[in-house]
Amino acid sequence: MLVAPLLFERVQLPGIVGLIIAGALVGPNFLGLLERDSTIVLLGTVGLLFLMFMAGLETSLDDLKLNAGKAVIFGLATFTLPMVLGTVAMLMLGYGILASILVASCFASHTLLALPVLAKLGIMRSQSVTATLGGTLITNVLALLVLAVVVKAHAGDLTLNFWLFIIPALTIYTFATLWGVPKIGRWFFRRFGHDESAEFIFVLATLFVVSYVAGLIEIEPIIGAFLAGIAITQLIPQLSPLMNRIEFIGNTLFVPFFLISVGMLIDPLILVKEPKSLLVAGVMILAEVVSKFFAAWLPGKYFRFRFPSIMVMFGLSVAQAASTLAAITVAYEIELVDRLTVNGIIAMILVTCIASPWITQKWGKKVKPQEATTMEEQDPIQPLTKRVLVPVANPNTEDNLLQLALILAKTSKGTLLPLHVISDKLGTVTAEAKLLQQQLLAAAEAIAHAAVTQVEPIGRVDDAIDKGILRSATERNASLIICGWKGYSTTRENFFGSVLDNVIRGASVPILISRFPQPIKNTKRVLLAAVDTEIASPIFQQTVTLAKNTATALKANLQLVVVVTDAPNFKFKPEAVGLSPETTIMRVRGKFVKKVSRMLQIDDLLILTAITYPHYLPMPAIGIEPEAIARTNPRNSMIVVHFPS
């Protein structure tokens, strides 16, 4: 587990390949250093469920909605062609009908191994990529359903009663998982979101319970693990410490056990004992590559994609790993296929895992070359989030503010600057105050390290809290400040100014004034609200970019609300401010506060742009409208974006 991935990655090969080969070498069929005993089988089973769970975490239902038509066509094509060609090829090799169909279903599924390549090229949002992402969900689900049916048929249980039971049971089970798990998860995170250990155990419990219930309705537990991942991914921000823990534990402990256990099934000497294994492996590789190419080429031509875009679709969909390994392991355990078949599948995985990143890299450079720039050039928000300063003072609100700061800092590989200021205006600083400062900063530093984000904790003593924040922002070159907000101002604060008012009026960098009565991870919709007169301003463009990044990181839907006040024939194109044409835009007429308040739901995150009033006016610096909405909707999370004038 330590040496094999490091060696293979040094020669530009995926670490997954090294673990499989390592299992073959130390297993009972070669060196015999390890037996594939009950311990290895148990840990391998947990790893298999974890592998499918993480595949579900990477699958987004929103990707399917974004290019639904193209995704459905490509998904059906990349499932049907490999199924047909693969079944015919395996029948010609003398395999039985059930074994042929099951092996062909391995060809139909695929693993998005080359996604990191696309992120580096900056073409994740191209139509060919979004169609492939949506199609992946369709083909993987269909392939797993084929596996479930074949397993039943092999056991002789594929009767009319099976179909009468499995169709309604699977329908209810899928609905209950995709609808019920997010509901329960949001309730759990709302009640116990402050306990990081409880969050992680909840995720594990969800994985194993949903997988166990799948077995009760007589389908493979790996289907349950996959659905559990799709269901719970809505609740876990991609860049959060919780997601990092899940991926870390899975990729470094459980999944390697599964890969090694698969490698132990391989018999390297079978090439000598049975030369037919070379023929089987060759036919498998040829059938899989040819069918996946035509499954990308035919829809690509129909969509009128350029050839480089078609090759990117092919490069993404040709790789075999997670679902393929899961299916062939299940098939071997029920003795539907033999070691020779397992060896052939492993050979196919080796070839496709090497070919996929190479093809995607080669042709991805030719897809919309104007977009294939560095992330800093492509995303204007990145300089804004390079150094994010967040004052921490209240342990009860610190978590959500830090989560927001981490999300934004991590999108640009920036640095988190947690700050705690002690005021010495009333005299000597007490030991208790210093201890509290150390505890708050240590907690913030631990959260940042858990999310693998650079962090520079700042402990400061100053004559005023607001001055300490402003001076720290200047001294540490902060590019953005995130402040907590209770949602209202007292009469005294309106006349004399609060700490927040003074920071807003004195800051030379943008500020996010944030209020989170709900856990930030529970956000289902990011609602960006503005009046029609704001749309054309450069400030609004930056707010849109920030809202897009926040929505993407939280896996929430972004919707724009435009309150039309003056222009009777107001027209607006989403592309003008950097939004995709598919973004939901609601145009309403009337009073801004009243219209926006009526649209808010419990799991919404409202984003507004602040209109700062001069200090001599007895009103909050954040503006009248945000505070009015906050008072009307005390249970809704809000971010008010302030840009220095």
Side-chain angles (χ1 to χ4, degrees):
M1 288 167 64
L2 172 66
V3 176
L6 294 176
L7 287 178
F8 274 73
E9 287 169 4
R10 285 293 295 270
V11 293
Q12 306 300 313
L13 291 177
I16 180 176
V17 177
L19 287 166
I20 294 172
I21 292 179
L25 292 177
V26 302
N29 298 312
F30 195 69
L31 297 179
L33 299 179
L34 284 176
E35 290 294 328
R36 196 171 187 271
D37 58 13
S38 58
T39 303
I40 296 292
V41 171
L42 173 63
L43 292 172
T45 301
V46 175
L48 170 59
L49 293 176
F50 233 99
L51 186 68
M52 296 307 299
F53 179 67
M54 291 194 294
L57 286 177
E58 294 176 1
T59 303
S60 172
L61 294 175
D62 292 331
D63 292 333
L64 188 59
K65 297 175 185 176
L66 192 61
N67 284 283
K70 293 183 175 65
V72 169
I73 292 173
F74 174 70
L76 293 176
T78 201
F79 171 78
T80 305
L81 288 179
M83 278 297 300
V84 172
L85 186 58
T87 302
V88 171
M90 300 315 293
L91 287 172
M92 291 174 63
L93 286 174
Y95 279 70
I97 183 65
L98 290 180
S100 299
I101 292 174
L102 189 137
V103 172
S105 72
C106 294
F107 301 168
S109 64
H110 58 252
T111 301
L112 298 173
L113 192 70
L115 270 185
V117 175
L118 299 176
K120 292 179 182 178
L121 295 176
I123 57 173
M124 282 292 292
R125 295 175 183 171
S126 65
Q127 285 191 333
S128 59
V129 174
T130 52
T132 307
L133 293 175
T136 298
L137 174 60
I138 295 172
T139 190
N140 283 355
V141 169
L142 291 176
L144 289 173
L145 289 177
V146 168
L147 171 66
V149 173
V150 169
V151 168
K152 278 295 174 186
H154 178 68
D157 298 331
L158 197 62
T159 61
L160 178 61
N161 289 335
F162 168 76
W163 291 109
L164 292 176
F165 170 77
I166 194 64
I167 293 175
L170 186 58
T171 303
I172 295 170
Y173 170 76
T174 303
F175 174 78
T177 301
L178 297 182
W179 180 83
V181 168
K183 288 283 185 183
I184 297 171
R186 286 191 175 90
W187 171 84
F188 184 88
F189 289 147
R190 191 175 290 122
R191 291 289 303 273
F192 307 103
H194 59 280
D195 190 332
E196 296 175 358
S197 299
E199 285 184 345
F200 184 76
I201 297 300
F202 174 81
V203 171
L204 289 185
T206 301
L207 164 61
F208 294 128
V209 169
V210 173
S211 301
Y212 175 73
V213 174
L216 293 181
I217 64 170
E218 301 182 355
I219 62 174
E220 284 302 314
I222 58 174
I223 298 177
F226 185 66
L227 287 175
I230 295 175
I232 210 167
T233 188
Q234 307 168 44
L235 307 179
I236 308 174
Q238 189 63 42
L239 305 178
S240 65
L242 178 57
M243 181 66 83
N244 185 71
R245 289 188 183 98
I246 293 168
E247 293 177 343
F248 179 80
I249 294 295
N251 290 328
T252 59
L253 181 62
F254 293 128
V255 174
F257 268 113
F258 167 65
L259 297 173
I260 289 172
S261 71
V262 170
M264 289 181 173
L265 299 176
I266 301 173
D267 185 359
L269 301 178
I270 204 169
L271 298 176
V272 179
K273 298 175 185 175
E274 296 188 48
K276 183 184 176 183
S277 62
L278 290 175
L279 175 64
V280 171
V283 170
M284 284 183 174
I285 294 169
L286 183 63
E288 197 270 346
V289 171
V290 170
S291 61
K292 284 294 185 181
F293 174 78
F294 280 104
W297 185 77
L298 291 173
K301 284 294 183 182
Y302 177 73
F303 302 147
R304 297 183 179 179
F305 287 165
R306 293 172 60 242
F307 188 70
S309 295
I310 294 174
M311 290 301 292
V312 166
M313 294 173 68
F314 169 59
L316 275 177
S317 60
V318 76
Q320 301 289 337
S323 299
T324 305
L325 282 172
I328 205 65
T329 302
V330 171
Y332 180 79
E333 289 175 351
I334 64 172
E335 299 181 355
L336 183 58
V337 297
D338 55 11
R339 286 185 188 274
L340 189 146
T341 309
V342 174
N343 277 20
I345 290 291
I346 298 298
M348 181 183 70
I349 289 173
L350 298 180
V351 172
T352 57
C353 284
I354 295 169
S356 175
W358 179 79
I359 294 171
T360 307
Q361 174 83 20
K362 176 179 174 62
W363 293 98
K365 293 178 180 178
K366 302 178 182 179
V367 175
K368 295 184 179 180
Q370 70 274 15
E371 294 183 7
T373 56
T374 63
M375 293 299 290
E376 288 77 10
E377 295 170 337
Q378 193 179 26
D379 193 344
I381 200 175
Q382 297 230 354
L384 187 67
T385 57
K386 275 295 185 184
R387 295 181 65 80
V388 181
L389 182 111
V390 52
V392 291
N394 186 347
N396 296 324
T397 61
E398 177 181 352
D399 183 61
N400 283 316
L401 291 179
L402 285 171
Q403 292 289 342
L404 175 62
L406 281 171
I407 286 169
L408 296 176
K410 199 165 182 180
T411 55
S412 58
K413 297 181 180 178
T415 302
L416 179 69
L417 306 172
L419 165 69
H420 185 270
V421 181
I422 301 175
S423 175
D424 62 354
K425 187 175 182 178
L426 300 178
T428 307
V429 177
T430 64
E432 291 81 2
K434 290 182 178 180
L435 179 61
L436 176 62
Q437 182 181 74
Q438 293 172 1
Q439 291 173 340
L440 288 170
L441 292 178
E445 189 173 10
I447 291 173
H449 286 314
V452 196
T453 302
Q454 294 183 16
V455 58
E456 296 177 11
I458 306 169
R460 186 183 187 94
V461 177
D462 212 307
D463 59 348
I465 303 296
D466 48 6
K467 291 179 181 178
I469 294 172
L470 293 171
R471 288 165 179 162
S472 297
T474 302
E475 293 167 2
R476 295 300 185 102
N477 297 316
S479 57
L480 179 71
I481 301 174
I482 297 179
C483 289
W485 176 45
K486 61 181 180 290
Y488 60 88
S489 301
T490 63
T491 304
R492 174 183 172 81
E493 289 171 340
N494 287 339
F495 273 97
F496 299 104
S498 64
V499 171
L500 181 59
D501 291 334
N502 295 335
V503 172
I504 292 172
R505 292 188 172 110
S508 58
V509 297
I511 304 176
L512 303 187
I513 303 102
S514 310
R515 184 190 71 162
F516 288 103
Q518 306 294 334
I520 190 172
K521 59 174 70 70
N522 280 11
T523 303
K524 294 173 64 177
R525 181 176 66 162
V526 174
L527 203 65
L528 175 60
V531 296
D532 52 1
T533 53
E534 291 182 62
I535 301 297
S537 69
I539 287 178
F540 184 73
Q541 172 75 56
Q542 295 186 65
T543 305
V544 167
T545 308
L546 187 143
K548 283 166 52 182
N549 283 35
T550 304
T552 300
L554 295 175
K555 299 176 182 175
N557 293 322
L558 174 62
Q559 297 183 11
L560 174 63
V561 177
V562 180
V563 180
V564 181
T565 56
D566 296 329
N569 298 317
F570 174 76
K571 293 182 179 180
F572 169 69
K573 291 184 177 180
E575 298 90 336
V577 293
L579 292 171
S580 67
E582 293 81 10
T583 304
T584 301
I585 299 176
M586 295 170 282
R587 298 173 179 84
V588 295
R589 293 182 181 276
K591 294 188 178 295
F592 183 81
V593 173
K594 185 176 181 181
K595 291 294 182 181
V596 172
S597 295
R598 284 182 176 178
M599 291 183 176
L600 288 175
Q601 300 171 8
I602 189 65
D603 290 320
D604 285 347
L605 171 59
L606 177 65
I607 298 182
L608 305 172
T609 303
I611 302 174
T612 306
Y613 292 92
H615 63 87
Y616 52 80
L617 294 178
M619 57 183 63
I622 198 173
I624 299 174
E625 290 83 0
E627 187 164 307
I629 294 174
R631 287 179 181 273
T632 308
N633 303 272
R635 298 179 63 193
N636 280 103
S637 299
M638 292 177 60
I639 297 176
V640 185
V641 186
H642 171 268
F643 291 92
S645 56

